[in-house]
Amino acid sequence: MKLSELKTGETGIIVKVAGQGGFRKRIIEMGFITGKEVKVLLNAPLSDPVKYQILGYEVSLRHSEADLIEVVSSSESIPVKKGDNEVKAIEIEDGDTDEGALTPDEISKKANEQRHIINVALVGNPNCGKTSLFNFVSGAHERVGNYSGVTVDAKYGRADFGGYHFELVDLPGTYSLSAYSPEELYVRKQLIEKTPDIVINVLDASNLERNLYLTTQLIDMHIPMVCALNMYDETEQRGDNIDFRKLSELFGVPMIPTVFTSGRGVEDLFGQAISVYEGKEGKTSGYRHIHINHGHEIEQGIADIQEHLKKNEDLRPKYSTRYLAIKLLENDSEINDFIAAFPDAEEIQEHKQNVANRVKEETGTDIETAIMDAKYGFINGALKESEYATGKKKDTYQITHLIDHILTHKYLGFPIFFLLLFVMFYVTFYAGQYPMTWIEDGVAWIGGFVSNYLPDGPVKAMLVDGVIGGVGSVIVFLPQILILYFFISYMEDCGYMARATFIMDKLMHKMGLHGKSFIPLIMGFGCNVPAVMATRTIESRKSRLVTMLILPMMSCSARIPIYIMITGSFFAIQYRSLVMISLYMIGILMAVVLSKIFSTFFVKGEDTPFVMELPPYRFPTWKAIGRHTWEKGKQYLKKMGGIILVASIIVWALGYFPLPDDPNMSRQAQQEQSYIGRIGKTIEPVFIPQGFDWKLDVGLLAGTGAKEIVASTLGVLYSDNDSFVDDTEYNDDNGKYELLKKQMTTDVAKLHNVSYQKAKPIATLTAFSFLIFVLLYFPCVATIAAVKGETGSWKWGIFSAVYTTVLAWVVSALVFQIGMLFI
Ligand code: GDP
Ligand code: MG
C-alpha cells in the first residue's frame, strides 16, 4: 500500500521509493529508506502536509510525495468495516493477535517480499523484439510479427530471476516520446503514472542510430534503465563492430547484446536490471546518470525553465524537471497544457519564446529541430567513440533487397500477391479436407452413439440436434482454420505482410486511404476485434476512424466456416477457391469505395504523412509458427465451447419448442410452427428481394453474436434427415454437404413455386447472394463494442452496425435480382 494511505497512528515498513531522480534522492536523504519503520503522527483528511515519525525524527511530506512511497503495514489485512471512520491504532508491540493483523515478523517478511518485486516496462521502437523478450521470460504467447504495430496494448506478465520477482509490462513500440501519435502518448503516460522501477529499453542493434534516439529521450526522463542491444545475431552476421562497453559508459546506461529469439543475453540483461535496481537503493551499479548536452543556448533555456518548475512542489515527485523543460521547448502540446495551469505559466512561456528566438538567430532552425539535431549529434559522437562501424560481410538487407525486388515489383507485385492468396486458399481447401473428414466422422460417431443410447426426449434432441449439430458443424472447420492461420502466421512472421501493405499502399493512397491503415486491415482477415485496436498506430484521427469503419469489409476468419459450408455445397470443386477469393475481393473493393466516400463526406480531419517500415525478412522457426498457429486455433476452440455452444442450444430450443400438438407432424411443419419458425416467418418479407427463406434469415439474425453462429445455426436447422430428396445428381461430391444442398434447394423451390429441378440454379444464386450478405452485414457485437471503445462513443459503433447491414441488404438484393434475369 501507499504511505499516503496510512492513517494517523498507524505504522508501516518502507518497501520502495518510486518517483524520479532528484525527488527520490531528497526523500531518501530525509530517512525514508527501505526497511525502515515509519509512523503516521498526523494524517487528517485534506490536510497537507502529513507528519511522520521516522528514525526518531519528525518529518512532514506532501500527500503527492507520500503517494510514491510503498509500505507494508499491519493494517493491510484487517478488514475495514463500512462507515467506520474511527481510526484504529494498532499495537503491534504486544503480539496483537487480532484477526488478520500481521505480527511484526510477518510485516518484515512481507516487506522483504515486496522489496523483491521489480516492476519492469519494456520500451523500444516498433519491431525491435520487445514482445519476443516478454514471451521468452514470462512464458506468454503474445503476438509477435515482423512488422511495426503488432503490440497495441500494454500486456502484463511475470518472471522470476536472481531471487527477484519481475512484473513485466510490454508496451507498444514508439520511435520517440513526442505527443505525435496516440501510442507515444500512451507509453509516456505509462512511464510517468505507473512509475516502473526499471525500464528495459530494447534496441534493434542492426539499426542503432535511430533506436538510440528514443534512448536519449528516456535519459531525459531520468528513469532507471537497462538497454538490450537486440538482434545482435544480425549485426554479427553483417560483421558490425561496436564497443558496447564504451557505449554503455557514454550513455550512462548498461547495454547488453541480446538475441531474444534464442534467449542469448537475457540472463545478463536481467542481472544488470537487478544491479541497477539495487543501485537505486544505495549500492553502486557503476553507471552515472548523464545529461545530453543540447548546446549552450538550449541548456541555458532548460536551466531557466527548470528554476520555475522547481518552485512547484507537486510536480517534482513524478516528473524530471529537465524532461519537462525540454518538452516545453519542443513545444509539446500535452506538456504545454499541463503547464498552463501554473501560476508562473506566462513567465515560463516567455522564457521559452526567448530561447526559441535566440536559437533561431544562431542556428537558423526552429528549436524543435535544434534539440533533435543535438540528440543525433550526441548519438553520432558516442557511436564514433565506440568505434561503431557497420560490416559488409552479410548485409541482412542484401537478401531482403533481392527478394523485395521481385515481391514488390511494379508489375509482378500484384500477381504474386494474388497467386499467394490463391495458393493459400487452395491448400486450405484441399489439405484441409482430409482431417475434416476425420472430425466429421468423429462427430457423426458421437451423434450416433448418443442417439442410440439415450432415451428419446428433449435431452437427447438437445444433445444431438443442438449441441452436436451446432458445434459439430463448426468444429469440422478447425483443420482449415489452422491451415489458413499457418499461412497468415508465416506471412506475418517473415515480413511479407509488411510488403503486402506496401504494394497495396500505392493503390489505397489513390482511394483516400493510408498505407498504415493496411496493417489493421490485414489483421482484420483474422479477427476484426484486435484489428480495430490496431488502428491506434495510425496518427491521423481521420484515417483511424475511416479504417475502423471499413474494417468489417475485411472478411474475418469467423466467416470462413459459412463460406466453406455454402461454397462446398453449391459450387463444383474447381470453382470453390475462386468463389472464396471473389468474396474477399468484393470485400476489399467495398472497403476501397467506402473509404473514399467516408473520407470525403463523413469524417473530417487532417491527413498526416507516415513512414512505412519494411523490416528485413526474418525466417521464423517452425516452432514459433506452430505456436502462433496453435494460439489462434485455441481461440477458435474457446469460442466453440462458449458463445457457439450457447447459441446452438438457444437456436435448438427455439426450434424445438413449443412442442407440436400433433406428434406425427412432419419435421418441416414442426419447425415452421416453432418459435424460431415464427421469428423467421416474421422477418421473411424483409429478405424477399435477396431470395432468402426464413431459415437463412434466422441464420443471419443469430450471426450477429458471432459470425460462426451462422454456420452452426444452419447446421441445426438443416439437421433434418428424413425429408430427403432422392437426387443422385447432387450426390456427386464426397457427399459432405448433400443434406444442406438438397434441403435448401427444396426450400427454394417452395419459396419460388417452381419444380425442384428448376430451383437448382436459383438455389445456387441464392447461396451466392447469401454469402455476400454474410460478408458485408453487421460485424459481430464484439467488433461494435471495440469500435465504441476506441472512438469513445456509441455513435460510430452504431453507425458501423447500421451502414454495413444496409449495404449488405442492397448489394445482395442487386446480385440476386440481376442474377435472376439470366436464369
Ligand atoms: P516488437 O514489435 O518489438 O514487440 O517485436 P517482436 O517481438 O514482435 O519481434 C519482431 C520480429 O523480430 C519477429 O519476427 C521476431 O521473431 C524477430 N526477432 C526478435 N528478436 C530477434 C533477434 O534477436 N534476432 C533476430 N534475428 N530476430 C529477432
Ligand atoms: Mg510487440
Side-chain angles (χ1 to χ4, degrees):
M1 76 194 293
K2 304 272 173 60
L3 179 58
S4 56
E5 289 163 353
L6 281 189
K7 301 203 183 85
T8 307
E10 288 184 335
T11 313
I13 290 184
I14 298 175
V15 174
K16 247 181 224 177
V17 181
Q20 168 282 324
F23 158 78
R24 279 194 84 242
K25 217 165 132 212
R26 193 164 64 96
I27 294 286
I28 292 171
E29 279 165 5
M30 283 161 86
F32 289 86
I33 302 163
T34 347
K36 293 284 181 250
E37 196 177 274
V38 56
K39 185 171 179 191
V40 187
L41 294 178
L42 187 70
N43 181 6
L46 301 179
S47 86
D48 220 356
V50 187
K51 261 205 262 175
Y52 295 99
Q53 188 179 47
I54 190 153
L55 302 172
Y57 299 98
E58 271 182 32
V59 178
S60 55
L61 282 186
R62 293 167 159 267
H63 253 294
S64 55
E65 294 169 336
D67 245 356
L68 290 164
I69 299 174
E70 209 178 305
V71 295
V72 168
S73 100
S74 58
S75 69
E76 260 181 274
S77 46
I78 299 175
V80 181
K81 272 183 259 137
K82 268 212 175 113
D84 179 9
N85 287 328
E86 201 191 357
V87 180
K88 198 160 112 196
I90 296 141
E91 283 115 356
I92 46 174
E93 283 80 21
D94 50 30
D96 194 320
T97 49
D98 228 287
E99 249 196 4
L102 301 175
T103 64
D105 268 357
E106 281 170 336
I107 295 178
S108 35
K109 201 171 144 233
K110 193 156 179 218
N112 196 38
E113 268 168 25
Q114 291 214 358
R115 199 151 47 236
H116 281 80
I117 297 175
I118 305 182
N119 295 306
V120 179
L122 303 181
V123 180
N125 284 12
N127 211 38
C128 63
K130 296 175 297 299
T131 307
S132 302
L133 170 66
F134 180 81
N135 287 348
F136 184 86
V137 295
S138 71
H141 303 287
E142 288 302 338
R143 226 181 133 93
V144 176
N146 192 17
Y147 55 92
S148 347
V150 179
T151 312
V152 289
D153 216 351
K155 301 277 191 230
Y156 299 90
R158 50 195 55 191
D160 285 309
F161 183 82
Y164 282 92
H165 178 76
F166 289 84
E167 294 281 347
L168 301 160
V169 49
D170 181 23
L171 294 172
T174 51
Y175 295 111
S176 90
L177 294 173
S178 56
Y180 188 50
S181 77
E183 295 139 85
E184 291 178 355
L185 284 175
Y186 181 76
V187 171
R188 235 159 76 164
K189 212 170 128 206
Q190 285 271 336
L191 291 182
I192 288 169
E193 281 172 17
K194 299 273 161 73
T195 51
D197 297 318
I198 297 264
V199 163
I200 292 184
N201 176 205
V202 181
L203 295 103
D204 174 356
S206 65
N207 213 334
L208 260 185
E209 193 181 340
R210 192 197 67 201
N211 277 257
L212 282 169
Y213 183 65
L214 179 65
T215 314
T216 59
Q217 295 193 321
L218 291 168
I219 289 175
D220 287 343
M221 288 181 93
H222 203 166
I223 299 176
M225 177 164 63
V226 184
C227 288
L229 300 175
N230 195 35
M231 313 256 177
Y232 208 72
D233 52 335
E234 286 183 2
T235 65
E236 280 174 339
Q237 277 166 16
R238 192 166 63 184
D240 285 7
N241 182 52
I242 177 98
D243 180 352
F244 61 84
R245 284 184 195 87
K246 183 85 193 166
L247 196 67
S248 311
E249 214 178 281
L250 293 169
F251 272 83
V253 177
M255 300 206 179
I256 319 296
T258 59
V259 180
F260 292 147
T261 36
S262 69
R264 178 179 150 193
V266 170
E267 271 191 26
D268 198 6
L269 182 71
F270 276 77
Q272 282 291 347
I274 291 174
S275 81
V276 170
Y277 176 74
E278 286 176 345
K280 243 173 74 165
E281 306 305 315
K283 292 178 215 167
T284 171
S285 66
Y287 293 94
R288 73 200 151 79
H289 178 70
I290 60 145
H291 282 180
I292 287 154
N293 191 342
H294 294 85
H296 178 70
E297 287 298 343
I298 297 175
E299 285 300 329
Q300 188 60 48
I302 294 174
D304 288 350
I305 293 176
Q306 262 182 302
E307 276 310 308
H308 284 283
L309 296 177
K310 274 182 182 159
K311 281 189 221 149
N312 198 306
E313 286 291 334
D314 282 343
L315 200 71
R316 299 199 50 203
K318 281 198 172 172
Y319 291 91
S320 144
T321 45
R322 184 175 165 82
Y323 162 76
L324 281 181
I326 295 172
K327 282 290 157 205
L328 268 178
L329 288 175
E330 283 177 351
N331 225 346
D332 185 286
S333 54
E334 201 193 43
I335 305 293
N336 265 336
D337 293 348
F338 180 62
I339 300 293
F342 287 17
D344 46 1
E346 258 177 48
E347 269 175 77
I348 295 177
Q349 292 294 352
E350 218 170 278
H351 263 300
K352 191 179 113 180
Q353 210 45 54
N354 285 342
V355 181
N357 292 342
R358 259 177 301 175
V359 170
K360 182 96 194 170
E361 272 168 31
E362 268 190 22
T363 60
T365 59
D366 61 287
I367 187 154
E368 250 184 287
T369 317
I371 291 177
M372 203 161 80
D373 286 348
K375 289 204 155 82
Y376 273 113
F378 175 84
I379 294 169
N380 273 321
L383 286 176
K384 263 217 185 79
E385 254 179 81
S386 325
E387 291 163 28
Y388 180 64
T390 48
K392 300 243 172 336
K393 255 198 295 184
K394 184 187 153 209
D395 190 350
T396 336
Y397 279 94
Q398 200 176 335
I399 305 167
T400 295
H401 286 322
L402 211 71
I403 303 177
D404 269 351
H405 203 64
I406 304 165
L407 292 186
T408 60
H409 187 269
K410 212 157 67 183
Y411 303 113
L412 290 178
F414 266 110
I416 292 176
F417 179 55
F418 287 115
L419 188 72
L420 282 174
L421 279 187
F422 186 80
V423 169
M424 180 167 96
F425 286 122
Y426 197 81
V427 176
T428 304
F429 266 113
Y430 284 86
Q433 259 179 4
Y434 300 97
M436 187 179 179
T437 328
W438 307 332
I439 299 183
E440 234 163 16
D441 292 346
V443 171
W445 185 83
I446 296 173
F449 183 82
V450 173
S451 12
N452 283 340
Y453 288 93
L454 277 187
D456 279 345
V459 174
K460 174 173 160 180
M462 184 191 82
L463 284 178
V464 175
D465 296 337
V467 176
I468 299 171
V471 176
S473 60
V474 181
I475 204 154
V476 295
F477 299 108
L478 182 66
Q480 266 131 334
I481 299 278
L482 286 180
I483 295 171
L484 194 76
Y485 275 145
F486 168 83
F487 276 96
I488 293 180
S489 295
Y490 198 90
M491 290 208 254
E492 279 181 353
D493 285 9
C494 76
Y496 183 72
M497 278 306 185
R499 272 71 192 182
T501 315
F502 180 76
I503 52 175
M504 284 307 214
D505 172 50
K506 289 181 190 161
L507 181 80
M508 290 291 109
H509 225 60
K510 293 191 184 117
M511 314 291 178
L513 246 195
H514 270 250
K516 253 198 177 170
S517 311
F518 233 75
I519 297 273
L521 291 181
I522 293 265
M523 281 170 89
F525 288 126
C527 176
N528 281 190
V529 177
V532 168
M533 293 202 270
T535 56
R536 282 179 206 167
T537 51
I538 305 166
E539 283 98 3
S540 131
R541 187 185 142 75
K542 177 180 168 177
S543 309
R544 196 157 72 233
L545 195 55
V546 173
T547 308
M548 249 182 259
L549 291 178
I550 61 165
L551 249 174
M553 298 296 116
M554 300 295 115
S555 181
C556 70
S557 62
R559 296 170 223 191
I560 291 171
I562 191 76
Y563 294 169
I564 298 179
M565 200 168 182
I566 301 279
T567 50
S569 312
F570 287 95
F571 295 93
I573 207 148
Q574 62 269 36
Y575 298 127
R576 287 179 199 162
S577 299
L578 281 179
V579 173
M580 288 278 274
I581 290 190
S582 79
L583 287 172
Y584 280 75
M585 286 304 126
I586 290 172
I588 293 175
L589 199 74
M590 286 293 163
V592 170
V593 175
L594 287 170
S595 71
K596 187 80 190 161
I597 295 176
F598 288 156
S599 54
T600 321
F601 298 109
F602 290 95
V603 186
K604 298 270 171 283
E606 286 289 299
D607 285 341
T608 45
F610 65 91
V611 188
M612 263 291 305
E613 272 223 31
L614 291 181
Y617 288 100
R618 300 194 167 97
F619 297 97
T621 57
W622 289 105
K623 206 177 123 203
I625 291 294
R627 207 178 51 222
H628 295 163
T629 307
W630 177 236
E631 279 309 309
K632 288 170 182 157
K634 218 163 68 186
Q635 277 171 2
Y636 187 75
L637 286 179
K638 265 196 199 140
K639 237 173 162 180
M640 291 302 105
I643 184 163
I644 294 184
L645 177 68
V646 174
S648 299
I649 295 177
I650 293 175
V651 170
W652 165 82
L654 289 175
Y656 190 79
F657 297 109
L659 292 171
D661 304 328
D662 172 11
N664 296 325
M665 193 187 252
S666 79
R667 177 76 190 265
Q668 182 82 13
Q670 190 277 326
Q671 262 189 350
E672 279 177 33
Q673 63 88 46
S674 71
Y675 292 124
I676 210 162
R678 291 178 211 178
I679 297 173
K681 289 275 176 194
T682 314
I683 54 173
E684 197 169 44
V686 179
F687 297 106
I688 288 297
Q690 287 79 6
F692 303 158
D693 76 330
W694 69 267
K695 286 184 190 167
L696 297 179
D697 301 343
V698 168
L700 293 176
L701 200 62
T704 51
K707 291 278 168 102
E708 290 99 337
I709 299 176
V710 180
S712 63
T713 303
L714 295 190
V716 175
L717 291 177
Y718 289 107
S719 66
D720 172 13
N721 259 313
D722 31 75
S723 66
F724 225 91
V725 184
D726 190 21
D727 175 8
T728 43
E729 193 190 312
Y730 266 13
N731 286 348
D732 55 5
D733 257 18
N734 31 31
K736 213 166 288 167
Y737 309 102
E738 264 165 46
L739 198 63
L740 175 78
K741 195 172 173 185
K742 287 173 183 171
Q743 283 184 14
M744 225 175 103
T745 312
T746 315
D747 291 343
V748 167
K750 225 170 105 191
L751 193 74
H752 294 270
N753 229 340
V754 291
S755 72
Y756 179 84
Q757 281 304 327
K758 266 202 161 156
K760 278 184 183 174
I762 305 181
T764 308
L765 181 62
T766 308
F768 190 67
S769 61
F770 185 69
L771 286 179
I772 299 223
F773 202 101
V774 172
L775 166 73
L776 300 178
Y777 89 118
F778 193 90
C780 64
V781 183
T783 306
I784 303 285
V787 172
K788 190 250 157 188
E790 292 299 312
T791 57
S793 86
W794 279 111
K795 187 176 109 189
W796 292 112
I798 292 169
F799 178 77
S800 96
V802 172
Y803 100 77
T804 48
T805 310
V806 171
L807 183 75
W809 193 92
V810 172
V811 175
S812 95
L814 278 178
V815 168
F816 185 75
Q817 294 302 337
I818 293 174
M820 281 302 273
L821 299 176
F822 296 92
I823 290 175

